[in-house]
Amino acid sequence: MEALFGKVCLVDKSGRSFPASTLAANKVVGLYFSAHWCPPCRSFTPVLASSFSTMVGAGKAIQIVFVSSDRDEAQFQEYFETMPWLALPFGERDLKQTLSSKYGVNGIPKLVLLDGETCKVITGDGRNVISRDNTGEHFPWEHFCQDSDEGAKKGGW
């Protein structure tokens, strides 16, 4: 994860800092590209928060990092208060842009699910994965995503 975030520390909503290296303890790390001003984001965030809390409560090794597209720090803080996970600090705009480019973020919300150890992309469509498996029954989703991709190609879902 340090390869993605460098020396930048992530924050929780109380303001505590966490080195990016701590993310590697998770089987799955989600990068959640979202913003306060985006209606689809504001609809999906409570769904994701509920799913995340359910999975963490069930002992699933998952962490999510909010990567904000908010227009200012105040919007970021207000929106981040609704989230039970970590965030890239709002001031890290260059890193936000780098991550957005790396993962092909052309619209929000977008949830990219990564292998916590290798940083390999499990899926760039984590929003669909959470919508289809909100309790994490198929966690960590490697085979579920492959099967789902095949199913989608065949019109199976």
Side-chain angles (χ1 to χ4, degrees):
M1 288 296 156
E2 285 184 54
L4 288 181
F5 295 101
K7 299 290 182 194
V8 172
C9 284
L10 305 171
V11 295
D12 68 9
K13 58 185 167 185
S14 73
R16 289 183 299 167
S17 293
F18 299 86
S21 60
T22 62
L23 293 174
N26 294 283
K27 181 71 178 156
V28 174
V29 174
L31 301 180
Y32 183 43
F33 298 88
S34 186
H36 179 269
W37 52 263
C38 167
C41 299
R42 291 181 63 90
S43 293
F44 181 64
T45 297
V47 172
L48 181 58
S50 176
S51 180
F52 175 80
S53 295
T54 296
M55 286 186 275
V56 169
K60 310 280 186 194
I62 184 170
Q63 184 54 268
I64 295 175
V65 178
F66 172 41
V67 183
S68 175
S69 291
D70 285 305
R71 296 184 176 120
D72 59 44
E73 178 87 28
Q75 281 187 349
F76 164 79
Q77 290 295 340
E78 181 181 338
Y79 192 35
F80 186 39
E81 278 297 314
T82 68
M83 301 175 188
W85 45 72
L86 301 176
L88 178 68
F90 182 78
E92 296 292 339
R93 306 322 294 156
D94 289 344
L95 182 52
K96 178 261 182 206
Q97 188 55 49
T98 298
L99 292 170
S100 294
S101 295
K102 179 176 180 74
Y103 295 108
V105 178
N106 295 317
I108 54 174
K110 182 168 180 118
L111 178 63
V112 178
L113 298 175
L114 306 173
D115 180 295
E117 185 179 330
T118 66
C119 295
K120 178 183 172 227
V121 175
I122 297 169
T123 183
D125 191 11
R127 185 175 171 198
N128 185 41
V129 169
I130 295 299
S131 295
R132 294 181 47 78
D133 184 33
N134 65 346
T135 62
E137 179 182 341
H138 299 282
F139 181 89
W141 301 300
E142 290 105 340
H143 299 292
F144 178 71
C145 290
Q146 291 169 356
D147 294 344
S148 294
D149 289 346
E150 279 303 308
K153 288 176 192 170
K154 294 176 183 171
W157 59 273

